[in-house]
Amino acid sequence: MRMGCFTFVKVIMVLFNLIIFLAGGALLGVGIWVSVDGSSFIKVIGPVSSQAMQFVNIGYFCIAIGAVLVLLGFLGCCGAQKESKCLLIMFFAIVLIIFIAEIAAAVVALVYSSFAESLLRAWVTPVLKNDYGRQTDVTGIWNTTMSELKCCGFTNYTDFYDSYYFTQHNRTFPSYCCNSTICNEAAAVVSNVQGCFQQLFDILKENANIVGGIAAGICALEIAAMVVSMYLYCKIDGKTEI
């Protein structure tokens, strides 16, 4: 007996969201493990950074993303399996909110890139001035970023003027800002190391096709999820096998 269209879509919806639910649960579990017992996590994966406390931030990030995936997976899977219009419309609404937020962020990034840069600078610069060199997690994250991207600060070395690090290290800048051993102002000017924002922006431009492809793929999945959930929602009351 040939499977009807409704039944086929329902099974696909259940399986797809079951995968999302399991992936979210795994990510949530890893996030909790990292946040609660980061030292054990580091022993398992190895010492990838000298600043171990930065894993606490990664843990919180994993918890947030994992929780969203678990919620979406639960709503989609149970909504399709139990044929619950309430759960399906909640699933649709959450995916729609995420989709709109992503589109809005993309528009701001593309059309108002200078405005977005100003907002980021207003948030990041005080963190560099007040917390870099003082807080282990902030220092670790920025050290890793500057080391990997070969950059200095958000804009350049001037972000560290009158900062905690600057005053505590005899008015010198982090070593990433210079191509010499002693990183004073003269050495920083000569080195002319780019800021991390510009460096990251250049990397994104160089890999625009890959970034665009990934973004398009995610958007396509979200649209497909919304279409399927709305199809099931509309067909639940009067479903017929065709």
Side-chain angles (χ1 to χ4, degrees), residues 10-225:
K10 175 181 172 180
V11 170
I12 294 298
M13 182 77 168
V14 170
L15 292 177
F16 178 73
N17 283 281
L18 181 60
I19 294 173
I20 292 179
F21 181 84
L22 294 176
L27 196 60
L28 185 61
V30 171
I32 294 173
W33 177 24
V34 173
S35 299
V36 173
D37 190 12
S39 58
S40 297
F41 180 79
I42 293 170
K43 289 179 182 178
V44 172
I45 67 171
V48 296
S49 173
S50 60
Q51 302 294 342
M53 286 299 293
Q54 67 179 292
F55 285 108
V56 175
N57 296 279
I58 296 176
Y60 292 151
F61 178 77
C62 290
I63 289 174
I65 300 299
V68 172
L69 291 179
V70 166
L71 178 61
L72 281 176
F74 173 80
L75 292 175
C77 189
C78 291
Q81 178 63 33
K82 296 182 178 298
E83 298 183 7
S84 170
K85 299 185 75 172
C86 179
L87 293 180
L88 286 173
I89 201 65
M90 289 177 63
F91 174 86
F92 177 87
I94 293 175
V95 176
L96 179 61
I97 291 171
I98 294 174
F99 181 78
I100 292 174
E102 290 172 348
I103 296 298
V107 170
V108 170
L110 293 174
V111 180
Y112 301 103
S113 57
S114 59
F115 177 67
E117 181 180 356
S118 300
L119 287 178
L120 283 172
R121 184 184 295 110
W123 173 69
V124 171
T125 303
V127 173
L128 284 173
K129 287 186 178 295
N130 300 324
D131 298 331
Y132 183 83
R134 187 199 303 266
Q135 294 190 13
T136 308
D137 53 348
V138 173
T139 306
I141 291 172
W142 272 101
N143 282 345
T144 302
T145 302
M146 292 189 290
S147 175
E148 294 296 325
L149 297 182
K150 309 300 181 185
C151 59
C152 170
F154 182 82
T155 305
N156 52 34
Y157 71 94
T158 58
D159 292 334
F160 293 98
Y161 267 136
D162 299 323
S163 66
Y164 175 83
Y165 182 93
F166 188 74
T167 56
Q168 294 295 315
H169 292 79
N170 297 320
R171 301 181 66 81
T172 59
F173 304 98
S175 59
Y176 308 101
C177 300
C178 297
N179 297 323
S180 58
T181 305
I182 300 177
C183 192
N184 52 27
E185 184 173 1
V189 171
V190 172
S191 299
N192 193 28
V193 178
Q194 275 191 326
C196 293
F197 178 82
Q198 186 61 46
Q199 193 76 352
L200 181 60
F201 190 70
D202 291 342
I203 292 174
L204 289 176
K205 285 196 298 184
E206 291 174 3
N207 298 277
N209 292 335
I210 297 175
V211 175
I214 294 174
I218 293 174
C219 288
L221 284 175
E222 291 171 344
I223 293 173

